[in-house]
Amino acid sequence: MSMPKTLKRVLMGPGPSDVDPRVLEALSRPTIGHLDPEFLNILNEIRSLLQCTFQTKNEMTLAMSGTGSAGMETCVVNLIEPGDPMLVCINGVFGMRMADVARRCGADVTTLEIEWGKVFDPGQIRQALQKKAAKVIGIVHAETSTGACQPIEDISKIVHEHGALLLVDTVTSLGGMKVDVDGWQIDACYSGSQKCLSCPPGLAPVTFGDAAVKVIENRKTKVQSWYLDLTMIRQYWGSERLYHHTAPINMNYAMLEALKIVKEEGLENRWARHLQNHQILKAGLSTIGIHYVAQPGHELPMLNAVSIPSGAGDAAVRRQLLNEFNIEIGGGLGAFKGKVWRVGLMGSASTLSNVMLFLSALEKCLLDQGIKFDRGASIAAAAEKASQL
Ligand SMILES: *Cc1c(COP(=O)(O)O)cnc(C)c1O
């Protein structure tokens, strides 16, 4: 079966998110060489816009070839040498993935695990570091599997008091809520192109502060991954312009356009838009008895993880949303499989019209399943909330 040329979904899952037509247009421009001076200018512009988006002056800021997981692996593999102790904080799928990556890189991994949906308290991190020192502490800012937002600032202080490096996953948060790499003193940070930056999947922005760069420069062993070795890649992104691997040219066009859109909107405006649409959706959902699974007060604005109402078929509702309304939402992962829906409001998909469209579509699907509530209640509550904001 071939894909209809015009198939257009509303992407309200955990990523990828809807891509702006300007970004799709950029993607289709003629491919040029990876050492063409015009392309090298594009890389410089991407670095400077990524610095703005990450809120950092870090010189080592670039877009790695690959998706968000390549960003994760880049950070870990460059900072870790075999046997180095690393503490990984786990409260969902992506913390688990980071621990897996770290073990494969040869780290001596200690995990700190709490219930899914909960966030870490700085005291828990202090206790873990007192028990066993670590070179790197890895933590997820926006845990896409649970919809929980982890406060970073206080944890950063504790990590640095213990002389360790802080590595933060901002795949889902970057471009959708505050990420302040310099202000929060994050040493290494990675993201992905297809969540709140609304670019197709394929690039992983990363940034490294001075202390992290020093660790990379003073390595005693070669970086285990040839492809992700920043000691070589920095010579392509830097002034040497040494060939390492062929940059995905058109993906970089797309990334540049996506970052320009972020800049035009303004970071603060973009965060406010994500927050407002989340609040409107939440007002609608809670009116029909659908509740968030993240720790109260820590719900992510761009990823709404909610309990599936009892009596509703998980797969049936998601299939109906897709087939009847062209709306994609995500199911639960791991411990939340079959129990949770994940409704994304990421990047250009975070709009009032998507919220209203989703609520009306969801009401129809739930009514078809025999779930009882006042028809139209979620839409009325959302509309009321929207007019108050
Ligand atoms: C999506 C995601 C990743 C992985 O990114 P891919 O692009 O799927 O490789 C990592 N961490 C978090 C928090 C994510 O949401």
Side-chain angles (χ1 to χ4, degrees), residues 67-69 72 94 97 140 142 144 169 171-172 190 194-195:
T67 63
S69 305
M72 180 189 288
F94 293 102
R97 182 174 300 181
V140 178
T144 321
D169 177 322
V171 175
T172 283
Y190 60 91
Q194 79 276 21
K195 313 253 167 129

Side-chain angles (χ1 to χ4, degrees), residues 330-375:
L333 289 180
F336 283 171
K337 193 169 165 34
K339 299 188 178 123
V340 165
W341 284 324
R342 295 181 302 151
V343 185
L345 290 171
M346 296 184 176
S348 43
S350 173
T351 62
L352 179 58
S353 40
N354 276 354
V355 171
M356 300 310 266
L357 172 71
F358 170 70
L359 287 172
S360 39
L362 181 68
E363 280 206 3
K364 160 85 163 53
C365 298
L366 294 177
L367 289 167
D368 286 355
Q369 297 261 318
I371 312 279
K372 297 265 184 292
F373 54 87
D374 291 336
R375 192 185 297 258

Side-chain angles (χ1 to χ4, degrees), residues 175-190:
M177 64 186 298
K178 185 173 182 178
V179 172
D180 187 357
V181 168
D182 286 358
W184 295 347
Q185 299 191 314
I186 296 173
D187 296 293
C189 187
Y190 60 91

Side-chain angles (χ1 to χ4, degrees), residues 16-337:
S17 62
D18 285 340
V19 178
D20 190 287
R22 273 174 61 185
V23 174
L24 291 175
E25 185 276 323
L27 200 57
S28 68
R29 286 179 206 158
T31 304
I32 61 175
H34 62 280
L35 292 171
D36 187 314
E38 292 297 336
F39 185 68
L40 299 175
N41 286 336
I42 288 175
L43 293 185
N44 287 342
E45 235 183 305
I46 289 175
R47 168 166 40 219
S48 131
L49 288 171
L50 281 178
Q51 286 169 332
C52 296
T53 311
F54 274 126
Q55 304 205 85
T56 182
K57 294 195 173 62
N58 290 342
E59 183 61 26
M60 196 186 270
T61 301
L62 62 152
M64 293 294 291
S65 310
T67 63
S69 305
M72 180 189 288
E73 198 144 1
T74 298
C75 290
V76 176
V77 82
N78 281 278
L79 294 176
I80 290 289
E81 295 191 59
D84 283 345
M86 177 166 171
L87 174 68
V88 182
C89 304
I90 300 179
N91 57 354
V93 164
F94 293 102
M96 284 171 65
R97 182 174 300 181
M98 200 193 292
D100 186 6
V101 166
R103 287 192 188 100
R104 288 166 193 249
C105 293
D108 167 16
V109 175
T110 304
T111 58
L112 180 60
E113 299 191 39
I114 57 171
E115 199 187 324
W116 283 35
K118 294 264 184 304
V119 299
F120 292 90
D121 169 284
Q124 294 172 305
I125 312 281
R126 177 179 286 120
Q127 229 175 21
L129 287 174
Q130 279 167 349
K131 236 200 243 157
K132 187 174 181 209
K135 177 185 185 184
V136 177
I137 285 86
I139 196 160
V140 178
H141 182 217
E143 187 39 92
T144 321
S145 61
T146 67
C149 175
Q150 173 66 52
I152 297 296
E153 242 179 318
D154 290 343
I155 287 176
S156 176
K157 288 194 192 88
I158 290 163
V159 168
H160 293 118
E161 276 163 26
H162 286 79
L165 295 176
L166 178 63
L167 164 58
V168 182
D169 177 322
T170 62
V171 175
T172 283
S173 47
L174 191 71
M177 64 186 298
K178 185 173 182 178
V179 172
D180 187 357
V181 168
D182 286 358
W184 295 347
Q185 299 191 314
I186 296 173
D187 296 293
C189 187
Y190 60 91
S191 190
S193 49
Q194 79 276 21
K195 313 253 167 129
C196 290
L197 298 177
S198 272
C199 188
L203 286 176
V206 296
T207 185
F208 292 80
D210 291 343
V213 171
K214 215 168 270 157
V215 162
I216 296 172
E217 286 172 345
N218 293 333
R219 288 179 65 99
K220 293 189 183 65
T221 58
K222 273 193 175 182
V223 174
Q224 174 271 329
S225 163
W226 181 89
Y227 195 71
L228 303 176
D229 184 345
L230 284 172
T231 66
M232 295 195 283
I233 292 170
R234 73 186 300 195
Q235 296 180 42
Y236 172 60
W237 277 76
S239 52
E240 302 91 330
R241 299 304 185 184
L242 220 57
Y243 164 70
H244 177 258
H245 66 270
T246 310
I249 306 293
N250 294 55
M251 271 311 300
N252 279 284
Y253 297 164
M255 177 58 90
L256 177 59
E257 198 62 30
L259 292 171
K260 282 183 178 170
I261 291 172
V262 172
K263 190 178 179 191
E264 284 165 20
E265 182 174 8
L267 283 179
E268 309 254 341
N269 292 339
R270 202 171 168 90
W271 303 336
R273 170 167 63 83
H274 280 83
L275 184 60
Q276 281 191 5
N277 289 321
H278 157 74
Q279 288 168 339
I280 296 165
L281 177 66
K282 191 175 189 188
L285 290 174
S286 52
T287 300
I288 55 171
I290 297 181
H291 301 293
Y292 284 63
V293 296
Q295 186 173 326
H298 294 276
E299 298 92 341
L300 286 172
M302 69 289 290
L303 196 283
N304 301 268
V306 296
S307 297
I308 299 176
S310 67
D314 172 21
V317 169
R318 284 188 290 120
R319 199 178 318 116
Q320 193 180 353
L321 284 169
L322 194 66
N323 293 341
E324 255 178 49
F325 299 95
N326 269 319
I327 296 173
E328 178 184 274
I329 65 164
L333 289 180
F336 283 171
K337 193 169 165 34

